[in-house]
Amino acid sequence: NTYLFLKKLGELKRNKTKAKIISITGSSGKTTVKDLVGNLINFYGKTYFSPKSYNNSYGVPLSLSNLENNHSYGVFEIGMSKKGEINNLSKIVKPDIGVITNVAEAHIENFRSLDEIAYAKSEIINNIKSSGFLIIDKDGKYFNFFKKKAIKNNIKVVSVGLKSNADIHPVKIKKNNYFTFLKVNVFNKIYKIKIKNDQMIKNILISLAILKLLKLNIQKIINKIKDIKVLEGRGKVYKIKINKKRFNLMDESYNANPLSMKSAIENFSNIKKNGKKKYFLFGDMMELGKNSHIYHKKISKFINNSDIDKTFV
């Protein structure tokens, strides 16, 4: 059985490695955070992070199988479409640091409520190493639920968020046409960071939390953050020329759920028009179950409050 062999190989590689292991789950942003963290930690020591979105029952053991003796760090994402999956996969990964990015209606056709999705995401806490860490969003609805479960499991909690009561939070956000300038408080130490994309702020906070917990010198990569490339299908901008007409195409096609769609619209709105038009091509959001039409209808409010000129569905 090739799958059982792959799973066993992944387990053996995980048990042999001396690398510090970070595992990321959540309804959206997993791959972006995984790539950002993997690229940044790579400046400190040889780091393996899974290619693309290898986050399911094949992708996770396949990724673990690529861990080698000379890797100092490993960064893996864990996805799910039904309950129990995160528990099974994180049992193999056994992270030193776990991250839950957020909870949203992704794959809600397999769940009765958002609470059930949050409970399924919390399965990662079952398998974080004892005295390990959980990084969670202080602004999220389920912060206290995740925190209580972590403390019960002898796992330390680190909070990130936009408000000042989070362990890691921005104290100042300033923008110009090209960059967003952040002043970030990381456990009462201030860092100045320049980024190209507003939607990356929470991802940056999570990355800084991980660097801090790994006892790495954050100052070393401050100037590298702005140069980390955006992944295909996640807000990457292409300059297109057709029949002497030029336009920019922003590709957000990787995945669609209500949270990622709202984020994509906000990202699109933050780009200055400079007298040009904005067109939005809106495909279906899948796996939203019987209330799918309601979730689609709600998106219209975000479109109407944006500066989009025309929407195609």
Side-chain angles (χ1 to χ4, degrees), residues 8-276:
K8 186 70 181 168
L9 180 61
E11 285 172 348
L12 287 167
K13 280 288 189 95
R14 171 60 185 103
N15 293 337
K16 290 275 183 191
T17 188
K18 291 184 172 66
K20 285 286 181 188
I21 302 295
I22 298 108
S23 193
I24 299 152
T25 192
S27 294
S28 65
K30 293 184 292 296
T31 309
T32 307
V33 171
K34 180 258 300 171
D35 275 50
L36 178 62
V37 170
N39 278 302
L40 290 176
I41 296 179
N42 213 24
F43 287 111
Y44 301 91
K46 196 167 170 61
T47 305
Y48 180 80
F49 51 105
S50 49
K52 300 185 181 176
S53 295
Y54 282 23
N55 62 25
N56 62 15
S57 55
Y58 287 91
V60 171
L62 186 63
S63 298
L64 282 166
S65 299
N66 285 301
L67 273 174
E68 299 298 350
N69 292 336
N70 61 347
H71 282 123
S72 301
Y73 307 97
V75 189
F76 304 92
E77 63 173 296
I78 296 177
M80 66 152 202
S81 55
K82 55 184 188 289
K83 64 182 178 182
E85 279 185 289
I86 288 176
N87 190 53
N88 291 336
L89 294 173
S90 57
K91 203 178 277 180
I92 311 170
V93 177
K94 296 200 282 276
D96 298 289
I97 300 171
V99 178
I100 303 173
T101 57
N102 48 43
V103 176
E105 293 89 350
H107 308 294
I108 200 163
E109 70 175 1
N110 297 327
F111 297 90
R112 284 176 299 190
S113 65
L114 205 56
D115 288 357
E116 279 199 357
I117 291 177
Y119 190 84
K121 298 293 178 200
S122 78
E123 290 169 7
I124 194 173
I125 298 168
N126 304 338
N127 299 302
I128 296 172
K129 285 192 162 183
S130 184
S131 297
F133 295 91
L134 175 70
I135 299 168
I136 36 178
D137 183 1
K138 187 80 195 255
D139 308 327
K141 180 182 173 186
Y142 295 99
F143 173 78
N144 288 324
F145 166 66
F146 293 141
K147 183 179 177 181
K148 276 180 195 165
K149 184 169 179 178
I151 290 167
K152 195 175 169 186
N153 283 34
N154 194 29
I155 290 156
K156 301 176 194 79
V157 172
V158 172
S159 62
V160 300
L162 299 179
K163 295 175 189 151
S164 59
N165 58 356
D167 295 321
I168 296 163
H169 62 273
V171 289
K172 194 173 182 183
I173 302 173
K174 198 175 143 193
K175 303 176 196 174
N176 66 17
N177 285 351
Y178 307 101
F179 293 104
T180 297
F181 301 90
L182 302 175
K183 267 189 187 175
V184 181
N185 182 319
V186 180
F187 288 107
N188 299 320
K189 187 168 180 186
I190 303 294
Y191 295 92
K192 292 179 183 177
I193 300 165
K194 187 159 74 170
I195 60 173
K196 290 177 181 171
N197 184 338
D198 275 8
Q199 299 301 316
M200 291 292 282
I201 292 175
K202 282 264 172 88
N203 300 340
I204 300 293
L205 300 180
I206 292 168
S207 303
L208 295 177
I210 291 168
L211 294 178
K212 184 71 179 171
L213 293 177
L214 292 173
K215 298 184 171 64
L216 300 173
N217 177 12
I218 291 173
Q219 202 61 48
K220 182 177 177 178
I221 51 82
I222 287 296
N223 295 323
K224 315 272 189 195
I225 293 174
K226 69 179 187 308
D227 300 320
I228 301 289
K229 299 259 188 302
V230 177
L231 297 164
E232 285 181 14
R234 293 173 174 83
K236 193 168 183 177
V237 178
Y238 297 87
K239 293 188 182 301
I240 312 285
K241 185 183 175 188
I242 300 176
N243 298 334
K244 295 182 182 175
K245 282 191 191 292
R246 295 172 186 273
F247 61 93
N248 291 331
L249 173 69
M250 179 182 263
D251 178 10
E252 292 275 12
S253 62
Y254 168 70
N255 203 351
N257 62 54
L259 182 65
S260 65
M261 192 64 79
K262 181 188 166 192
S263 176
I265 292 164
E266 284 176 357
N267 204 9
F268 197 27
S269 283
N270 284 334
I271 297 171
K272 287 196 164 52
K273 278 187 178 182
N274 298 326
K276 306 289 195 295

Side-chain angles (χ1 to χ4, degrees), residues 272-290:
K272 287 196 164 52
K273 278 187 178 182
N274 298 326
K276 306 289 195 295
K277 297 274 190 189
K278 283 186 184 177
Y279 300 113
F280 180 46
L281 284 66
F282 183 15
D284 286 1
M285 298 182 289
M286 310 302 282
E287 299 181 336
L288 294 179
K290 63 181 189 297

